[in-house]
Every structure is written in C-alpha cells, then in structure tokens.
Amino acid sequence: MEDVAIKVENLFASYRKNTVLSDVNLAVESGSLTGIVGPNGAGKSTLLKSMLNLHPSLTGSVAFFGQPFKKMKKKIGYVPQRGSVDWDFPTDALDVVTMGLYGHIGWLKRPSRFHKEKAYQALEKMGMKDYAKRQISQLSGGQQQRVFLARALVQDAELYFMDEPLAGVDAATEHAIMTTLKELKTLGKTVMVVHHDLQTVAEYFDHVLLLNQTVIEHGPTNQTFTKDNISRTYGGNMRWMREEDHDVVPSIKQ
Amino acid sequence: MPYTGWIILTASLVGLSCGLIGVFLILRRMAMMADAISHTVLLGIVIAFIITREVSGTPMLIGAVLAGLLTTFLVQWLHSLNIEQHASMGIVFTTLFAVGVILISTSVGNAHLDVQHALMGEITFIPWNTMSLPVIGDVPKATALLALAFVIVLSFIVAFYKEWKITSFDPALAASLGIPVVFLHYVFMSLVSITTVASFDSVGAIMVVAMLITPAASAYLWTDKLSIMLVLSSSFGVISAIAGYYTAVWLNTSISGSMAFATGLVFLVSFVFSPKHGLIAKYVKPAL
C-alpha cells in the first residue's frame, strides 16, 4: 500500500464508561471505497466520530495524508446518520446543502449567489432539483438522505466519511447514492462508509473493514470478506462454541 | 415620554430580545436551560452587588454572564459524569439559586434587592428610576439596560446567523467543518444570561421564561423559515407585552403576570389556527 490516506494507531474510545473501541489500528489506501461492517454496538459510528474529533478518544493517533485532523478538516466531508438531526428544523433542502459550504464561506459573510448555485447543482446531481425549496420535514427518508449526500458533495473534499447512508432508503436512492460514491472513487477520493447490509458488501465496496470493538480484518473485499472472517466478526456465539469444541476434545483425550 | 410610553417601550424591548433568543433555545432543544439560567443569574447579581455595592448596569451584566456560564459549565460537567441532562439542570440551578437567596438575606441586608422582586419583577416602578444619557436625556435605567441587551443580542444573531443555524441544526457537521461548536454554545448561553438579567427588573425570573419560550414556540408553528421565525417570535413578544400591559391596567393586576398570560394566549391561538401545524389544519388536511 504505497499511498496511505488515513492512518489510525492504537485508538481507544469509550462511551459512558464502556469501552467501545480498543486498540484500533488501520491504514486506508488513498482512492479506496471502504465499507465498515460489524454487529450493532461494534463501534462503527464511534470509529468515524473518533477519527473526526467528534467523539473524544482515550488514546491513539489519527492522521490524514500524514497530517492531523485540524490541518485537514477542510478536505474532509462527513455525512452523519440521518436520525442525528431534527428534520422539523425550519429550513429547506437548498439551505441544508448550502451548509456544506459554510466552512469555505468564512466568518461574518453570507452565502452568495455563487454558493447557492453550487448547492443547487449538487441537488440536481442527486436528482433533487425539484425539491430545492421544499421544507425538509416534507421530504421522504430517501430524499433526506440525498440532501445529506448533496451537502457532502458541495464540500468538495478529498476524504468522505458516511454513517449508514443507505439505512432505510428506497431502491432508487440506494442506486443514486452508490453511483455517486463510485464516481467519487473514480475522481480519486477516499470514501469510508458504515454499512449494515452484508449482502451488498461485495458488490458495493472494493475494501472492507470488519469491526467489532477492534479491527477483526481489513483489506480488499475479495480477500477479506470471507465466511470465516464474517463469523469471527459477528458470531460471538459461533466462535464461543467452536472454542469450547477445541477445549473439550483435548480434555477427553486426557 | 409619558409613564405609559416608558412601560410599553420597556416591555417591548423584553419581548424583542427574548423573542430572538427564544427561537434558538427552542431549536437547540434547550428550553429548560432558560429556566435554569433565569434563576442562577440571581446569584450573579447578588455577587456583583456584594462587590460593587450597587444594583446597576455593567456589573450586573457581567455577574449574570458569569453565573450563566457557570451554570452551563456545571450542567455539562454533571452530564458528562453520567447524570441525566435534565436532572443535572435541576441540581445545578436550584443549588446556585439557593446560594443567591442565602446571600441576599445574610450579606445584602436591606438593600434594593429582594427575592420577591427578583422572581416577579416590578415594571411599575421602572419609569421613576432614571439616568441621564447624552443626546437622549433622562431614560429609565432598566430601559437603557434592555436597549443595550437588545443591541448586543441582535448584533450577535445577525453577525453569526449562519453559524447559529448550522450549530443548531447539525452540530456534528458544524464541528467537522471546523466551526467552534462548544465556544458558540457558551457565547449563546452568555446571550441568554444577558437577556435574562436585563429583563429581570421588569418582568422577573419566572416571567422571563414565558417571554423566552412561548413566543418562539408559537412562531415555530407558523413558518418553515428560520428568518421568518425570528421576526414572528419577536413580534409575538412585543404583541404580548403590549396586550399584557393593557390587560393589566384594565383588570388592575400584575403587569408581568398579564404579559406572561398574553404569551400563553398567543400560543393557544397558534396551536389551534396555524395554517401549517395547527390543530384545525391537521384536521382538515391530514399530514403527509
């Protein structure tokens, strides 16, 4: 792996006294599209948030192209879980997308026509131009997710982190989002996506990160996403039974 | 200006500032923080009084801001120690308020400061306690303080409008864009404290909560645009202030009480008749 976009070393993080991430080490190849997969409570969202300084990490270091987060934050786009915001907020779709540009606009300035135009183009790209002036609570779940993705696109980042962008969306939205993600990859962007649907992992992602409190396995999907690795990630019970098996056999021999 | 004019101007300034600040309190889902801060600023005022020996503008504002920041900080700190958010608010503000009450009765003596006054306010006496300002002439002290608070609140909201919007809607995105979310949170809480302490003399700690929350909650029902919500909320605040005053004169009752009651009426009307989110609209045209 010659070109490392993201490097995480010895990352520990806890959530309300419970350790959620322990000793996470990983290096993500530049220009890769990685699916982060693991059971509920495996720390997938926490991993994204810890990398982006949104959740305090106990120890460890995170570097983006060899730089700390502070120096790189303008090159990083983040798509939070859809449920993390209040969709009754008094604003429209175009306005939400424009928020992605607030980092570029700077203090004391208002979004100009140029920024609005950029936001509008991003909405159009996600097939949402007819909904630009629609109040956000009146959008469907899939449409809300497209607005979020459009907002990430206007940021024009190098690295994208997305938390379950495909959760609870309709087929058309899923298709639109995956087309966009693959396009980002072709443009050389590095994308990390928390994903929940094991069936589509092989089709959607070229790399996979199997996570359960720590990195179980990480690498190209065709080598990493194997039955054995998946059961090591998910199957607490399966693994336990097999280990017991292992113990039982020698004890009989004795 | 006649007596009535000063009262109405003072009350309208309360309505304006509280209406603006209230919008963000509602959108940040922190309505109860208004209740907390409206009580703890008493401690700030008392301490400012103990140090400077007078109940006047600037020391009071500074004391209130410090008390507000202390409240915010302690609530966050308790919450981070695994105590539920509203429980930590309840613990912090009652304790700080109690310290204020004890200080009033032990260290302040018979000064122009008492618990009754702090809780209920006394807008009736405001026009008689004046100060001289250049150009404008004699102005009631409380009105001048409120005008100052309004200018501060308005300029902060206008200057950082998009920052308030994004940190209220999606703080995680704001943080990832490098906007100082925590710092802005403390700035916002300082604005809440300034508004509260400036409104203190006129409407008191309990009524200021009504003026902060109810007009904004009503405005929320009428519009889907933040800028319009701000305009509506401050208008509702002013309308309630004026309507409250005349009701009080008519019924010969407490002015601040009538104003708070008027905000409740505005909310009731909005809740029933708002074309977007009102009861009747929902009944006639079911939600999507």
Side-chain angles (χ1 to χ4, degrees), chain B residues 54-193:
Chain B
E54 56 178 323
V55 188
S56 74
T58 325
M60 248 169 72
L61 277 187
I62 295 172
V65 168
L66 292 178
L69 291 178
L70 181 68
T71 313
T72 314
F73 173 77
L74 289 177
V75 169
Q76 300 280 23
W77 178 66
L78 278 185
H79 184 54
S80 73
L81 295 177
N82 225 352
I83 293 169
E84 201 268 331
Q85 182 96 31
H86 287 93
S88 34
M89 274 182 212
I91 295 163
V92 170
F93 94 80
T94 47
T95 309
L96 294 183
F97 180 68
V99 173
V101 170
I102 292 172
L103 282 178
I104 284 187
S105 52
T106 57
S107 312
V108 177
N110 56 359
H112 174 65
L113 238 190
D114 61 74
V115 177
Q116 175 73 15
H117 182 100
L119 286 178
M120 302 300 290
E122 209 34 275
I123 200 168
T124 331
F125 300 137
I126 275 171
W128 292 315
N129 186 9
T130 59
M131 63 193 282
S132 232
L133 283 181
V135 187
I136 311 166
D138 278 358
V139 176
K141 278 183 183 168
T143 317
L145 186 64
L146 270 164
L148 176 67
F150 174 63
V151 170
I152 294 174
V153 166
L154 186 67
S155 43
F156 267 91
I157 287 184
V158 171
F160 303 112
Y161 183 71
K162 71 178 192 305
E163 282 79 14
W164 299 127
K165 188 175 2 180
I166 191 172
T167 53
S168 304
F169 175 64
D170 194 345
L173 174 83
S176 80
L177 291 175
I179 291 167
V181 178
V182 177
F183 175 72
L184 284 171
H185 177 66
Y186 281 97
V187 171
F188 178 68
M189 283 308 167
S190 305
L191 292 177
V192 176
S193 312

Side-chain angles (χ1 to χ4, degrees), chain A residues 16-17 49 52-54 69 73-74 76-78 80 84-92 95-96 99-103 105-111 133-138 148 151 155, chain B residues 24 26-29 79 81-84 157-166 168-180 183-184 220 223-227 229 276-277 288:
Chain A
R16 297 205 165 193
K17 290 179 188 157
K49 286 181 187 160
L52 301 177
N53 273 9
L54 297 172
F69 171 75
K73 59 190 169 194
K74 289 214 165 141
I76 295 171
Y78 172 53
S84 70
V85 305
D86 171 20
W87 290 95
D88 283 326
F89 196 89
T91 189
D92 58 34
D95 211 29
V96 172
M99 286 182 193
L101 293 164
Y102 282 10
I105 295 172
W107 294 94
L108 300 176
K109 286 190 215 133
R110 289 176 176 272
K133 286 286 164 193
R134 184 75 70 91
Q135 210 276 325
I136 52 173
S137 67
Q138 287 165 14
F148 258 24
R151 189 178 70 176
Q155 285 181 253
Chain B
F24 291 102
I26 296 271
L27 292 177
R28 291 166 167 252
R29 305 187 172 254
H79 184 54
L81 295 177
N82 225 352
I83 293 169
E84 201 268 331
I157 287 184
V158 171
F160 303 112
Y161 183 71
K162 71 178 192 305
E163 282 79 14
W164 299 127
K165 188 175 2 180
I166 191 172
S168 304
F169 175 64
D170 194 345
L173 174 83
S176 80
L177 291 175
I179 291 167
F183 175 72
L184 284 171
Y220 191 42
T223 177
D224 289 333
K225 258 185 105 69
L226 178 58
S227 48
M229 185 174 167
K276 283 189 188 286
H277 305 287
L288 295 170

Side-chain angles (χ1 to χ4, degrees), chain A residues 110-119:
Chain A
R110 289 176 176 272
S112 65
R113 185 176 291 172
F114 167 75
H115 296 117
K116 292 270 172 198
E117 183 54 38
K118 248 183 124 174

